[in-house]
Short mmCIF file of all heavy atoms in Angstrom, two decimals:
data_model
loop_
_atom_site.label_atom_id
_atom_site.label_comp_id
_atom_site.label_asym_id
_atom_site.label_seq_id
_atom_site.Cartn_x
_atom_site.Cartn_y
_atom_site.Cartn_z
N MET A 49 15.48 -30.56 -51.35
CA MET A 49 16.03 -29.50 -52.08
C MET A 49 15.65 -28.10 -51.46
O MET A 49 16.50 -27.32 -51.17
CB MET A 49 15.51 -29.55 -53.61
CG MET A 49 15.76 -28.36 -54.41
SD MET A 49 17.57 -28.08 -54.59
CE MET A 49 17.70 -26.42 -54.98
N SER A 50 14.36 -28.08 -51.13
CA SER A 50 13.94 -26.68 -50.55
C SER A 50 14.45 -26.54 -49.18
O SER A 50 14.70 -25.47 -48.73
CB SER A 50 12.37 -26.71 -50.71
OG SER A 50 11.89 -26.26 -49.47
N ILE A 51 14.53 -27.69 -48.46
CA ILE A 51 15.18 -27.66 -47.13
C ILE A 51 16.62 -27.09 -47.12
O ILE A 51 17.01 -26.20 -46.40
CB ILE A 51 15.04 -28.95 -46.35
CG1 ILE A 51 13.63 -29.33 -46.10
CG2 ILE A 51 15.85 -28.94 -45.08
CD1 ILE A 51 13.42 -30.60 -45.39
N VAL A 52 17.29 -27.66 -48.11
CA VAL A 52 18.77 -27.10 -48.21
C VAL A 52 18.78 -25.72 -48.56
O VAL A 52 19.55 -24.99 -47.95
CB VAL A 52 19.43 -28.16 -49.34
CG1 VAL A 52 20.92 -27.59 -49.50
CG2 VAL A 52 19.31 -29.50 -48.94
N LYS A 53 17.89 -25.36 -49.63
CA LYS A 53 17.94 -23.98 -50.01
C LYS A 53 17.56 -23.02 -48.84
O LYS A 53 18.18 -21.92 -48.60
CB LYS A 53 16.91 -23.84 -51.13
CG LYS A 53 17.30 -22.66 -52.03
CD LYS A 53 16.26 -22.52 -53.26
CE LYS A 53 15.55 -21.17 -53.08
NZ LYS A 53 14.17 -21.18 -53.68
N ASP A 54 16.49 -23.40 -48.11
CA ASP A 54 16.03 -22.51 -47.00
C ASP A 54 17.10 -22.39 -45.98
O ASP A 54 17.25 -21.39 -45.29
CB ASP A 54 14.68 -23.08 -46.30
CG ASP A 54 13.54 -22.88 -47.19
OD1 ASP A 54 13.61 -21.96 -47.99
OD2 ASP A 54 12.56 -23.61 -47.10
N THR A 55 17.77 -23.60 -45.65
CA THR A 55 18.81 -23.57 -44.53
C THR A 55 19.95 -22.72 -44.98
O THR A 55 20.47 -21.91 -44.22
CB THR A 55 19.27 -24.96 -44.31
OG1 THR A 55 18.06 -25.85 -44.21
CG2 THR A 55 20.05 -25.02 -43.00
N THR A 56 20.39 -22.92 -46.23
CA THR A 56 21.54 -21.99 -46.65
C THR A 56 21.20 -20.51 -46.57
O THR A 56 22.03 -19.70 -46.09
CB THR A 56 21.96 -22.31 -48.11
OG1 THR A 56 21.09 -23.24 -48.61
CG2 THR A 56 23.38 -22.74 -48.25
N ARG A 57 19.98 -20.21 -46.95
CA ARG A 57 19.66 -18.80 -47.01
C ARG A 57 19.59 -18.34 -45.41
O ARG A 57 20.11 -17.28 -45.15
CB ARG A 57 18.26 -18.56 -47.59
CG ARG A 57 17.93 -17.14 -47.73
CD ARG A 57 16.74 -16.88 -48.74
NE ARG A 57 15.66 -17.74 -48.31
CZ ARG A 57 14.34 -17.58 -48.82
NH1 ARG A 57 14.09 -16.72 -49.80
NH2 ARG A 57 13.30 -18.31 -48.39
N ALA A 58 19.16 -19.14 -44.58
CA ALA A 58 19.12 -18.70 -43.10
C ALA A 58 20.41 -18.61 -42.65
O ALA A 58 20.77 -17.57 -41.89
CB ALA A 58 18.26 -19.76 -42.32
N ILE A 59 21.41 -19.50 -43.01
CA ILE A 59 22.68 -19.30 -42.51
C ILE A 59 23.34 -18.12 -43.11
O ILE A 59 24.04 -17.35 -42.37
CB ILE A 59 23.56 -20.56 -42.97
CG1 ILE A 59 22.97 -21.81 -42.09
CG2 ILE A 59 24.95 -20.39 -42.63
CD1 ILE A 59 23.58 -23.15 -42.59
N ARG A 60 23.17 -17.82 -44.38
CA ARG A 60 23.77 -16.69 -44.94
C ARG A 60 23.31 -15.42 -44.38
O ARG A 60 24.13 -14.55 -44.09
CB ARG A 60 23.55 -16.72 -46.52
CG ARG A 60 24.55 -17.67 -47.26
CD ARG A 60 23.97 -18.01 -48.59
NE ARG A 60 24.19 -16.86 -49.50
CZ ARG A 60 23.86 -16.94 -50.81
NH1 ARG A 60 23.43 -18.10 -51.41
NH2 ARG A 60 23.99 -15.98 -51.65
N MET A 61 22.04 -15.28 -44.08
CA MET A 61 21.50 -14.17 -43.62
C MET A 61 21.93 -13.90 -42.09
O MET A 61 22.15 -12.76 -41.64
CB MET A 61 19.98 -14.13 -43.69
CG MET A 61 19.38 -13.81 -45.01
SD MET A 61 19.89 -12.16 -45.65
CE MET A 61 18.83 -11.10 -44.76
N THR A 62 21.94 -15.05 -41.32
CA THR A 62 22.49 -14.96 -40.10
C THR A 62 23.82 -14.48 -39.97
O THR A 62 24.06 -13.41 -39.28
CB THR A 62 22.49 -16.35 -39.40
OG1 THR A 62 21.13 -16.90 -39.41
CG2 THR A 62 23.02 -16.33 -37.99
N LEU A 63 24.73 -14.84 -40.87
CA LEU A 63 26.15 -14.45 -40.75
C LEU A 63 26.21 -12.89 -41.15
O LEU A 63 27.01 -12.10 -40.56
CB LEU A 63 27.02 -15.32 -41.69
CG LEU A 63 27.25 -16.68 -41.17
CD1 LEU A 63 28.03 -17.46 -42.20
CD2 LEU A 63 27.94 -16.59 -39.87
N ILE A 64 25.46 -12.45 -42.19
CA ILE A 64 25.62 -11.09 -42.63
C ILE A 64 25.03 -10.05 -41.50
O ILE A 64 25.62 -9.16 -41.25
CB ILE A 64 24.81 -10.87 -43.87
CG1 ILE A 64 25.34 -11.64 -45.11
CG2 ILE A 64 24.77 -9.44 -44.23
CD1 ILE A 64 24.49 -11.98 -46.05
N LEU B 284 24.39 -10.86 -50.69
CA LEU B 284 25.20 -11.86 -49.99
C LEU B 284 24.30 -12.92 -49.38
O LEU B 284 24.72 -14.05 -49.25
CB LEU B 284 26.04 -11.25 -48.84
CG LEU B 284 27.15 -10.29 -49.42
CD1 LEU B 284 27.91 -9.61 -48.25
CD2 LEU B 284 28.28 -11.13 -50.22
N GLY B 285 23.07 -12.64 -49.00
CA GLY B 285 22.21 -13.42 -48.25
C GLY B 285 21.36 -14.33 -49.20
O GLY B 285 20.72 -15.23 -48.72
N GLY B 286 21.48 -14.08 -50.44
CA GLY B 286 20.70 -14.84 -51.54
C GLY B 286 19.17 -14.55 -51.29
O GLY B 286 18.33 -15.42 -51.47
N VAL B 287 18.82 -13.30 -50.97
CA VAL B 287 17.36 -12.94 -50.79
C VAL B 287 16.95 -12.09 -52.09
O VAL B 287 17.58 -11.23 -52.49
CB VAL B 287 17.18 -12.06 -49.62
CG1 VAL B 287 15.73 -11.60 -49.55
CG2 VAL B 287 17.60 -12.84 -48.37
N MET B 293 6.02 -13.90 -49.91
CA MET B 293 6.11 -15.21 -49.31
C MET B 293 4.60 -15.56 -48.97
O MET B 293 3.78 -14.69 -48.54
CB MET B 293 6.88 -15.23 -48.06
CG MET B 293 8.42 -15.22 -48.24
SD MET B 293 9.32 -15.29 -46.64
CE MET B 293 10.99 -15.45 -47.37
N GLN B 297 5.53 -20.14 -46.12
CA GLN B 297 6.94 -19.83 -46.39
C GLN B 297 7.45 -18.84 -45.40
O GLN B 297 8.53 -18.94 -45.01
CB GLN B 297 7.04 -19.14 -47.84
CG GLN B 297 6.97 -20.17 -48.96
CD GLN B 297 6.70 -19.46 -50.28
OE1 GLN B 297 6.30 -18.42 -50.47
NE2 GLN B 297 7.24 -20.23 -51.34
N VAL B 299 6.38 -18.52 -42.27
CA VAL B 299 6.61 -19.33 -41.04
C VAL B 299 7.96 -20.07 -41.08
O VAL B 299 8.83 -19.98 -40.27
CB VAL B 299 5.42 -20.31 -40.77
CG1 VAL B 299 5.74 -21.27 -39.77
CG2 VAL B 299 4.18 -19.53 -40.47
N GLN B 300 8.19 -20.73 -42.30
CA GLN B 300 9.42 -21.47 -42.44
C GLN B 300 10.74 -20.62 -42.21
O GLN B 300 11.59 -20.96 -41.64
CB GLN B 300 9.48 -22.18 -43.81
CG GLN B 300 8.78 -23.60 -43.59
CD GLN B 300 8.71 -24.18 -45.00
OE1 GLN B 300 8.95 -23.63 -45.98
NE2 GLN B 300 8.18 -25.51 -45.03
N ALA B 301 10.52 -19.45 -42.90
CA ALA B 301 11.69 -18.50 -42.85
C ALA B 301 11.97 -18.06 -41.46
O ALA B 301 13.13 -17.92 -40.97
CB ALA B 301 11.45 -17.31 -43.80
N VAL B 302 10.81 -17.72 -40.69
CA VAL B 302 11.02 -17.44 -39.29
C VAL B 302 11.73 -18.53 -38.51
O VAL B 302 12.82 -18.28 -37.67
CB VAL B 302 9.69 -16.99 -38.55
CG1 VAL B 302 9.87 -16.99 -37.15
CG2 VAL B 302 9.00 -15.86 -39.26
N LEU B 303 11.21 -19.73 -38.67
CA LEU B 303 11.66 -20.86 -37.83
C LEU B 303 13.20 -21.18 -38.26
O LEU B 303 14.11 -21.37 -37.40
CB LEU B 303 10.75 -22.04 -38.03
CG LEU B 303 9.39 -21.86 -37.44
CD1 LEU B 303 8.55 -23.09 -37.62
CD2 LEU B 303 9.38 -21.37 -36.08
N TYR B 304 13.39 -21.34 -39.59
CA TYR B 304 14.78 -21.64 -39.95
C TYR B 304 15.85 -20.66 -39.47
O TYR B 304 16.86 -21.00 -38.91
CB TYR B 304 14.85 -21.71 -41.53
CG TYR B 304 14.45 -23.09 -42.10
CD1 TYR B 304 13.27 -23.15 -42.79
CD2 TYR B 304 15.23 -24.22 -41.87
CE1 TYR B 304 12.89 -24.36 -43.40
CE2 TYR B 304 14.85 -25.42 -42.38
CZ TYR B 304 13.64 -25.51 -43.17
OH TYR B 304 13.32 -26.66 -43.66
N SER B 305 15.53 -19.38 -39.71
CA SER B 305 16.54 -18.35 -39.33
C SER B 305 16.72 -18.36 -37.72
O SER B 305 17.84 -18.33 -37.28
CB SER B 305 16.09 -16.91 -39.83
OG SER B 305 14.79 -16.61 -39.10
N ASN B 306 15.59 -18.33 -37.14
CA ASN B 306 15.69 -18.32 -35.73
C ASN B 306 16.43 -19.61 -35.09
O ASN B 306 17.26 -19.51 -34.15
CB ASN B 306 14.44 -18.28 -34.98
CG ASN B 306 13.82 -16.86 -34.95
OD1 ASN B 306 13.25 -16.42 -33.99
ND2 ASN B 306 14.01 -16.10 -36.01
N LEU B 307 16.21 -20.74 -35.67
CA LEU B 307 17.02 -21.95 -35.30
C LEU B 307 18.47 -21.76 -35.57
O LEU B 307 19.25 -22.11 -34.78
CB LEU B 307 16.48 -23.14 -36.04
CG LEU B 307 17.07 -24.56 -35.77
CD1 LEU B 307 16.69 -24.94 -34.28
CD2 LEU B 307 16.61 -25.61 -36.59
N VAL B 308 18.81 -21.30 -36.78
CA VAL B 308 20.31 -21.15 -37.13
C VAL B 308 20.89 -20.17 -36.14
O VAL B 308 21.98 -20.44 -35.62
CB VAL B 308 20.31 -20.66 -38.54
CG1 VAL B 308 21.83 -20.24 -38.75
CG2 VAL B 308 20.08 -21.74 -39.48
N MET B 309 20.17 -19.05 -35.85
CA MET B 309 20.77 -18.11 -34.85
C MET B 309 20.94 -18.66 -33.50
O MET B 309 21.97 -18.47 -32.85
CB MET B 309 19.84 -16.92 -34.80
CG MET B 309 19.92 -16.05 -36.12
SD MET B 309 18.46 -14.79 -36.20
CE MET B 309 18.59 -14.28 -37.82
N ILE B 311 21.39 -21.80 -32.62
CA ILE B 311 22.51 -22.79 -32.55
C ILE B 311 23.87 -22.06 -32.51
O ILE B 311 24.76 -22.36 -31.76
CB ILE B 311 22.34 -23.77 -33.71
CG1 ILE B 311 21.04 -24.60 -33.53
CG2 ILE B 311 23.71 -24.60 -33.73
CD1 ILE B 311 20.80 -25.53 -34.80
N PHE B 312 23.90 -21.08 -33.50
CA PHE B 312 25.18 -20.26 -33.62
C PHE B 312 25.58 -19.70 -32.28
O PHE B 312 26.65 -19.74 -31.78
CB PHE B 312 24.86 -19.16 -34.66
CG PHE B 312 26.03 -18.24 -34.93
CD1 PHE B 312 27.15 -18.69 -35.35
CD2 PHE B 312 25.92 -16.91 -34.78
CE1 PHE B 312 28.18 -17.87 -35.62
CE2 PHE B 312 26.95 -16.12 -35.01
CZ PHE B 312 28.13 -16.58 -35.47
N TYR B 400 12.73 -12.11 -44.92
CA TYR B 400 14.11 -11.65 -44.84
C TYR B 400 14.16 -10.09 -45.06
O TYR B 400 15.09 -9.50 -44.63
CB TYR B 400 14.97 -12.47 -45.75
CG TYR B 400 15.30 -13.97 -45.15
CD1 TYR B 400 14.68 -14.93 -45.74
CD2 TYR B 400 15.98 -14.01 -43.99
CE1 TYR B 400 14.93 -16.16 -45.18
CE2 TYR B 400 16.20 -15.28 -43.47
CZ TYR B 400 15.63 -16.33 -44.10
OH TYR B 400 15.77 -17.61 -43.44
#
Side-chain angles (χ1 to χ4, degrees):
Chain A
M49 173 58 203
S50 135
I51 291 182
V52 177
K53 208 182 113 199
D54 284 341
T55 316
T56 3
R57 187 164 56 171
I59 293 173
R60 284 162 70 175
M61 283 302 285
T62 299
L63 289 177
I64 296 156
Chain B
L284 292 173
V287 172
M293 290 182 172
Q297 284 172 334
V299 166
Q300 274 175 350
V302 170
L303 296 181
Y304 276 112
S305 62
N306 280 218
L307 181 67
V308 169
M309 289 163 187
I311 293 172
F312 179 58
Y400 286 110

